């Protein structure tokens, strides 16, 4: 299952995006113009959806040398007489499939669907769009199970070796693709998608990482925009490790909210025999010493942490976290491992979707990271203070990009969107993955933008609040922005 709230990401860092500065982006405007896109040959693909493929340049600096296919899906407007055009959507990631997202989310977009064709796409490198693939299923099992709390020299050496091997495997299998799986090129692809759909201007609904795509698009094509609704806003000016630290604080806050609820709510089984926070710490200590056998697999501390993290994306998932932890305390790790597998997009047959690989390919191009391991060693005290549970686990989360074969072109800076129409920003006060402070910062960075606030836990607001849902729909349909300072509740 892929949704923006439970987006498959590489632990916490995957939602964190870095921006290319306006200078690198602006310099690409001198590249040769891409050829005009052809029409997409739409075919029925079940469930009321149509699917097709759009050919785009792999390298926009040399647009005629090689093309790749961008996979698309759409659900045509249900009221043709009031049709406005198409609304393009992106669920986040980087690495999440927009095709799978739209199949699952279209039912909650019925109001939009009356006036728009709903359109989703797999960004380049993702899913069905020239996917980046690095590891076999067993190799990815081992990589994700590896302990990332590097509290002794042997663990640190093993983790660094694994990151180097992972990057080398990605290079060996995708050497020609890796330099071009960046967000700037995704934005270019989006403009060709817009043109192929016959829309003179883009209407776009982006979540989490999708808000970063939206900001890049607004910089590159400000006059091609009809409306952008950006939900769960990424701040491109935050540095790589500072962004992770902010997320560590957000997930710790949501974890404490879950534990506080469990302590007082009779229906929370994990709180019936001892304090749930103490029990959780003890469980992770046991798993570090001795992973739990689950069939032919093992529930390691890292996989257990991943399962906990998944359930904190959405308050409605707390019931599953309660069940998973209660069972694990009794020696049954199946539910906790199942949650980790959802997060990691592991299929029942032991293969994986390519979310991890696509995330790494995009993130490491978009985001410059410190190249000295000592910089990550120095993060220990601040990360542990932010969250004793999550901090040490994610402290070295950006190290993979040190060894990435395609070097980054981005920098951490606000994105100039001069010339774009007003943009709607939506932020949740207790969003763990895209902290509310990021929405506030981008609201200050983008002149004329309007920030809609949702009070509550969980990541993104469209399905967490009827008020936010209605406001986003109203803006996308009628271009009516909510009043500045509008606050919705979950």
């Amino acid at each position: 299952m892929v949704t923006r709230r439970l987006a498959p990401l590489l632990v916490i860092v995957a939602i964190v995006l870095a921006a290319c500065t306006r200078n690198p982006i602006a310099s690409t405007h001198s590249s040769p113009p891409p050829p005009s896109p052809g029409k997409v040959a739409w075919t029925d693909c079940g469930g009321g959806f149509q699917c097709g493929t759009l050919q785009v340049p792999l390298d926009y600096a040399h647009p005629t040398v090689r093309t790749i296919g961008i996979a698309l899906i759409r659900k045509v407007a249900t009221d043709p007489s009031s049709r406005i055009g198409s609304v393009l959507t992106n669920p986040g990631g980087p690495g999440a499939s927009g095709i799978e997202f739209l199949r699952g989310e279209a039912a909650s977009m019925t109001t939009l669907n009356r006036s728009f064709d709903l359109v989703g796409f797999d960004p380049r490198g993702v899913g069905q769009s020239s996917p980046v693939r690095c590891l076999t299923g067993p190799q990815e099992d081992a990589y994700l199970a590896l302990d990332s709390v590097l509290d002794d020299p042997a663990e640190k050496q093993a983790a660094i070796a694994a990151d180097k091997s992972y990057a080398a495997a990605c290079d060996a299998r995708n050497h020609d693709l890796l330099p071009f799986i960046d967000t700037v090129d995704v934005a270019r692809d989006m403009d060709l998608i817009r043109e192929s759909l016959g829309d003179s201007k883009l209407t776009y609904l982006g979540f989490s990482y999708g808000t970063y795509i939206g900001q890049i698009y607004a910089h590159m094509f400000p006059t091609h925009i009809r409306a952008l609704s950006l939900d769960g806003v990424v701040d491109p000016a935050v540095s790589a490790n500072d962004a992770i630290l902010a997320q560590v604080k957000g997930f710790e806050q949501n974890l404490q909210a879950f534990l506080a609820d469990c302590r007082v709510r009779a229906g929370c089984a994990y709180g019936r025999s001892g304090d749930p926070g103490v029990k959780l710490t003890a469980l992770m200590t046991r798993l570090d010493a001795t992973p739990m056998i689950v069939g032919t697999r093992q529930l390691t501390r890292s996989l257990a942490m991943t399962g906990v993290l998944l359930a904190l994306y959405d308050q409605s998932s707390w019931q599953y976290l309660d069940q998973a932890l209660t069972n694990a305390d009794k020696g049954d790790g199946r539910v906790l491992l199942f949650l980790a597998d959802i997060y990691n997009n592991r299929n029942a047959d032991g293969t994986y979707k390519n979310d991890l690989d696509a995330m790494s390919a995009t993130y490491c191009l978009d985001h410059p990271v410190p190249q000295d391991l000592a910089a990550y060693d120095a993060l220990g005290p601040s990360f542990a203070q932010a969250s004793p549970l999550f901090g040490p686990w994610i402290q070295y989360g950006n190290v993979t990009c040190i060894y990435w074969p395609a070097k980054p072109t981005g920098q951490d800076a606000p994105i100039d969107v001069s010339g774009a129409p007003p943009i709607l920003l939506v932020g949740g006060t207790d969003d763990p993955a895209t902290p509310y402070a990021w929405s506030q910062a981008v609201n200050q960075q983008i002149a004329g933008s309007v920030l809609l606030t949702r009070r509550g836990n969980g990541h993104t607001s469209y399905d967490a609040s009827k008020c936010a849902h209605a406001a986003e729909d109203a803006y996308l349909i009628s271009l009516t922005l909510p009043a500045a300072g509008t606050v919705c509740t979950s």
Side-chain angles (χ1 to χ4, degrees), residues 436-448:
Y436 182 61
W438 293 358
S439 295
Q440 293 175 304
V442 173
N443 183 217
Q444 293 297 313
Q445 295 165 19
I446 298 180

Side-chain angles (χ1 to χ4, degrees), residues 245 248-249 252 379-392 395:
L245 181 60
V248 166
K249 293 176 180 177
E252 177 67 20
L379 299 176
S382 61
F383 273 55
Q385 181 179 9
S387 173
L389 186 70
F390 294 123
Q395 177 181 341

Side-chain angles (χ1 to χ4, degrees), residues 143-444:
Y143 186 60
L144 294 172
L146 195 67
D147 192 359
S148 61
V149 181
L150 309 184
D151 47 13
D152 67 58
E155 287 184 341
K156 185 175 182 180
Q157 183 177 4
I160 292 170
D163 283 338
K164 289 180 177 178
S165 296
Y166 174 71
C170 290
D171 189 33
R173 298 182 65 176
N174 311 274
H175 183 77
D176 57 336
L177 291 176
L178 292 186
F180 308 106
I181 309 300
D182 62 343
T183 301
V184 169
D185 282 333
V186 172
R188 291 190 178 103
D189 295 343
M190 277 178 39
D191 200 53
L192 293 186
I193 293 171
R194 172 200 60 77
E195 190 176 345
S196 74
L197 294 171
D199 290 344
S200 60
K201 293 182 182 291
L202 177 72
T203 303
Y204 176 73
L205 176 57
F207 302 94
S208 196
Y209 160 71
T211 71
Y212 177 69
I213 301 175
Q215 292 176 68
I216 291 289
Y217 185 92
H219 172 83
M220 298 179 70
F221 306 103
T223 62
H224 294 186
I225 295 170
R226 177 183 172 273
L228 298 184
S229 181
L230 308 182
D231 188 334
V233 182
V234 168
D235 180 3
V238 178
S239 69
N241 286 332
D242 284 347
I244 298 179
L245 181 60
Q247 292 181 315
V248 166
K249 293 176 180 177
F251 279 101
E252 177 67 20
Q253 183 177 19
N254 276 247
L255 173 64
Q256 292 304 321
F258 162 75
L259 295 173
D261 174 76
C262 193
R263 291 184 182 106
V264 300
R265 185 169 52 84
C268 186
Y270 198 56
R272 292 175 189 165
S273 56
D275 181 82
V278 173
K279 290 165 64 177
L280 177 60
T281 299
L283 172 63
M284 294 303 172
T285 300
R286 293 198 302 273
L287 291 174
D288 180 36
T290 308
M292 191 176 295
I293 302 300
V294 181
T296 60
R297 301 172 64 197
Q298 291 186 335
L299 176 67
T300 64
R301 174 168 60 176
S302 271
L303 289 172
M305 295 277 284
T306 303
V308 172
L309 189 78
L310 174 84
L312 296 177
Y313 271 85
D314 191 319
Q315 190 165 336
S316 67
S317 299
W318 288 3
Q319 59 183 313
Y320 306 114
L321 181 57
D322 176 25
Q323 180 185 357
L325 295 176
T326 299
N327 290 358
D329 246 19
K330 299 175 182 177
D332 181 356
R334 287 176 296 176
V335 178
L336 200 49
L337 184 58
F338 178 70
L339 293 177
D341 286 348
I342 293 174
Y343 190 92
N344 291 323
N345 258 315
R346 186 182 192 272
N347 300 313
D349 64 359
T351 62
Y352 285 80
K353 297 174 184 175
N354 85 312
D355 302 70
L356 168 65
D357 303 332
M359 188 290 300
S360 299
T362 302
Y363 182 83
C364 291
L365 279 185
D366 285 348
H367 210 319
V369 302
Q371 297 296 299
D372 186 351
L373 281 172
Y376 301 88
D377 296 337
L379 299 176
S382 61
F383 273 55
Q385 181 179 9
S387 173
L389 186 70
F390 294 123
W393 177 59
I394 192 56
Q395 177 181 341
Y396 294 87
N398 279 328
V399 168
T400 302
C401 292
I402 295 178
Y403 310 112
W404 200 250
K407 299 309 177 186
T409 57
Q411 297 181 23
D412 302 318
I415 297 175
D416 179 11
V417 301
S418 299
I423 294 172
L424 177 61
L425 309 173
V426 184
T429 56
D430 299 303
D431 186 325
T434 48
Y436 182 61
W438 293 358
S439 295
Q440 293 175 304
V442 173
N443 183 217
Q444 293 297 313

Side-chain angles (χ1 to χ4, degrees), residues 52-68:
T53 302
L54 178 67
Q55 294 296 317
V56 303
L58 172 64
D59 178 1
Y60 277 87
H62 304 91
T64 61
V65 172
R66 178 182 171 186
T67 63
I68 58 174

